[in-house]
Amino acid sequence: MKEELIDILDENGVVTGEMLPRSEVHKKGLWHRAIVVAIVNENNQILLQQRSANKEKNAGMWDISVAGHISAGQDSLSAAAREINEEVCVMLGYRTEIKDFRYMYSFRKEQVFKEDFIERQYYDFFILRTTGIDDKTLYFQEEEVQAVKFVDLNDIQRMIAQKEIVDRPEVYQVLFKYLFRF
């Protein structure tokens, strides 16, 4: 299987014109772009996914609904829709439109997981409010995800305190502010 190509960014988030396979991007610690999407249901609950035990980072931990890289030449919204379909197999189809995605903000983050796995990413964070998704009937990509569930804000706060969820304080702070309004 051919490895995903990713656009390389400079330290200011500007595309350089260079594209490299994902493994090379992380090995060299180059800046690139990723998305994070919180899927929120009609009960104001957030879909979480439990990362596969085989993942290179944060294996077995719970994470926000969907997160992933933006492929070379792709925009953030297209990447968000693709990742939702790939990771948690939610076919958005015609009932979900671009306007249903609420862009929250972008942030940059650097993390060194090991000497040859360095993440330098600009994230675009979206919230997708949707109805009719039942976590009991969702299929998911087993190479990426081993379980899914909807939780409320209290559950996420407990999971953060118990270090059961991927460390994404930048996302949780904005998500909590947004959801406390409803």
Side-chain angles (χ1 to χ4, degrees):
M1 189 168 143
K2 194 173 180 180
E3 192 173 357
E4 176 182 26
L5 290 176
I6 296 177
D7 286 321
I8 306 305
L9 309 177
D10 67 17
E11 62 278 353
N12 297 310
V14 177
V15 177
T16 66
E18 183 180 11
M19 293 179 284
L20 289 173
R22 184 164 99 173
S23 62
E24 283 295 307
V25 171
H26 288 290
K27 185 183 243 181
K28 295 178 178 181
L30 300 171
W31 286 103
H32 57 288
R33 193 164 288 285
I35 55 91
V36 179
V37 181
I39 299 173
V40 179
N41 70 12
E42 60 272 15
N43 299 316
N44 225 30
Q45 296 173 313
I46 303 98
L47 182 69
L48 295 184
Q49 62 158 285
Q50 187 176 24
R51 294 173 60 82
S52 167
N54 300 322
K55 295 295 284 180
E56 193 168 13
K57 65 175 187 173
N58 301 313
M61 292 189 74
W62 288 95
D63 199 357
I64 203 74
S65 310
V66 175
H69 291 88
I70 298 175
S71 298
Q74 193 172 42
D75 63 77
S76 295
L77 279 173
S78 298
R82 175 181 51 82
E83 289 289 344
I84 288 168
N85 183 38
E86 286 178 4
E87 290 185 8
V88 294
C89 297
V90 174
M91 294 296 292
L92 298 177
Y94 295 113
R95 68 186 181 101
T96 301
E97 299 178 30
I98 298 247
K99 67 179 176 58
D100 296 324
F101 283 88
R102 181 179 181 112
Y103 170 77
M104 299 309 291
Y105 83 119
S106 296
F107 63 97
R108 84 185 217 166
K109 188 169 187 173
E110 294 182 71
Q111 290 180 285
V112 178
F113 291 96
K114 54 186 181 179
E115 187 177 311
D116 64 344
F117 193 130
I118 303 165
E119 273 196 352
R120 289 193 173 102
Q121 296 183 144
Y122 280 86
Y123 287 92
D124 292 334
F125 174 44
F126 297 91
I127 293 177
L128 173 62
R129 293 196 73 92
T130 190
T131 60
I133 295 177
D134 180 1
D135 59 356
K136 309 291 185 269
T137 60
L138 280 180
Y139 296 97
F140 43 86
Q141 186 180 26
E142 292 181 9
E143 302 84 44
E144 299 276 337
V145 178
Q146 61 188 30
V148 295
K149 65 181 178 181
F150 276 105
V151 299
D152 61 29
L153 291 176
N154 291 331
D155 292 326
I156 291 183
Q157 289 171 329
R158 178 190 51 77
M159 294 171 84
I160 290 169
Q162 295 177 354
K163 300 189 184 318
E164 298 174 359
I165 192 166
V166 173
D167 185 33
R168 295 187 189 277
E170 311 86 354
V171 169
Y172 304 133
Q173 289 171 354
V174 172
L175 179 61
F176 291 172
K177 286 179 186 175
Y178 174 79
L179 291 178
F180 276 130
R181 296 182 347 200
F182 293 94

